[in-house]
Amino acid sequence: MPSTLKLCLLLAALLQGVLGAPTEAPLTENLAGDPSGEEGELTPDLLSASGIWDRILSVTEDHQKEFEAEFQNQVKYHMLEDFNISSLPESCSYSNLSKEACLQKMVQGLLVYKALLKHVEKEYPSNSKILDARLNCGRLITVIRENMKHPERLTELTSSQEEQLLKEINSPYTFQRRMTAHSILFQFRDFLLKGKRAIKKREKARGNVVPIRLNYQAQN
């Protein structure tokens, strides 16, 4: 029957169209992303994938154990959250700043922490990891600067500014100085983790690759 033949031809055409149509690749990455910023993988030439971050963070790996061993549970570790130091810089927010502004904020913050780590070194001179962290701060600053569009807009700390920073957190009381040192390490870890996550978000969401340049000089 003609009507049956037409129906068969129509179905055959539809099937051919469906089977021959190109298949769209599934969207595997949500650009809004998980707040943890851990979705997907990053290539090793991205700034957020540099091993320098972990080398600096290693100074805080056993921080809680070291703190509790020193104070013998007379002071709880979580109290460091409320031990405020006005000079501690904030990390860049991965939702409000451009990549360039984020990198600039990270460098300015690292310059402050690099100076404040001298206070920690003074209180715990036998801890070689603190010196390593300070030196690696200089290296991370160099890497970020070399990958900025306008590194000339950065402002270095003068010797008098650094001296003033250290003077403000100094105290005649050992307990106060030690708590300040531990608070610097506590907040430093948070600063680094948030900053690394912020940079990673920008690299993933916008495809702005920040290549690692390894020909830097160690900075004291």
Side-chain angles (χ1 to χ4, degrees):
M1 299 176 62
S3 58
T4 303
L5 179 59
K6 288 181 180 180
L7 180 60
C8 290
L9 292 174
L10 178 61
L11 288 174
L14 289 173
L15 286 173
Q16 183 178 3
V18 171
L19 294 176
T23 303
E24 293 186 3
L27 186 62
T28 58
E29 181 180 323
N30 180 0
L31 294 186
D34 181 346
S36 68
E38 298 302 324
E39 71 283 356
E41 294 184 0
L42 292 174
T43 57
D45 61 343
L46 298 181
L47 175 58
S48 62
S50 170
I52 300 177
W53 299 92
D54 290 336
R55 290 198 291 274
I56 302 175
L57 284 164
S58 65
V59 73
T60 64
E61 283 179 355
D62 300 317
H63 183 219
Q64 182 170 353
K65 292 180 181 178
E66 293 166 355
F67 179 88
E68 292 172 348
E70 179 178 350
F71 292 100
Q72 297 294 315
N73 291 323
Q74 295 179 11
V75 183
K76 300 299 183 183
Y77 185 70
H78 66 81
M79 293 179 65
L80 291 173
E81 296 179 11
D82 302 318
F83 193 88
N84 296 321
I85 301 174
S86 60
S87 56
L88 292 182
E90 294 182 357
S91 188
C92 65
S93 167
Y94 60 76
S95 60
N96 299 324
L97 299 177
S98 67
K99 183 184 69 175
E100 180 75 5
C102 179
L103 294 179
Q104 180 174 348
K105 193 174 183 66
M106 284 300 299
V107 170
Q108 298 293 170
L110 284 167
L111 288 169
V112 173
Y113 271 111
K114 186 168 177 279
L116 293 177
L117 283 173
K118 291 183 178 181
H119 174 85
V120 187
E121 281 185 86
K122 185 178 178 181
E123 293 303 309
Y124 300 96
S126 62
N127 190 340
S128 61
K129 292 190 298 182
I130 300 169
L131 174 60
D132 290 341
R134 188 166 65 82
L135 294 177
N136 279 314
C137 273
R139 296 181 178 109
L140 181 56
I141 288 169
T142 299
V143 173
I144 296 175
R145 284 173 61 95
E146 290 181 349
N147 288 280
M148 290 180 63
K149 294 179 181 178
H150 301 287
E152 70 280 359
R153 296 177 183 175
L154 295 170
T155 305
E156 298 282 350
L157 288 180
T158 65
S159 57
S160 58
Q161 288 174 327
E162 182 176 312
E163 183 180 344
Q164 183 62 30
L165 276 175
L166 296 173
K167 183 179 179 180
E168 288 175 356
I169 61 176
N170 195 23
S171 171
Y173 304 106
T174 302
F175 175 79
Q176 183 75 10
R177 294 197 310 270
R178 294 290 175 88
M179 285 294 290
T180 298
H182 283 290
S183 180
I184 290 171
L185 289 178
F186 183 86
Q187 299 296 339
F188 186 38
R189 178 178 178 84
D190 186 63
F191 173 85
L192 288 170
L193 291 174
K194 285 182 178 178
K196 180 181 178 181
R197 187 178 304 142
I199 294 170
K200 180 177 179 179
K201 279 287 183 179
R202 284 160 175 75
E203 290 173 335
K204 290 176 65 64
R206 300 178 185 179
N208 291 325
V209 176
V210 184
I212 299 297
R213 300 180 184 179
L214 298 178
N215 57 336
Y216 53 77
Q217 297 293 327
Q219 303 217 345
N220 295 322

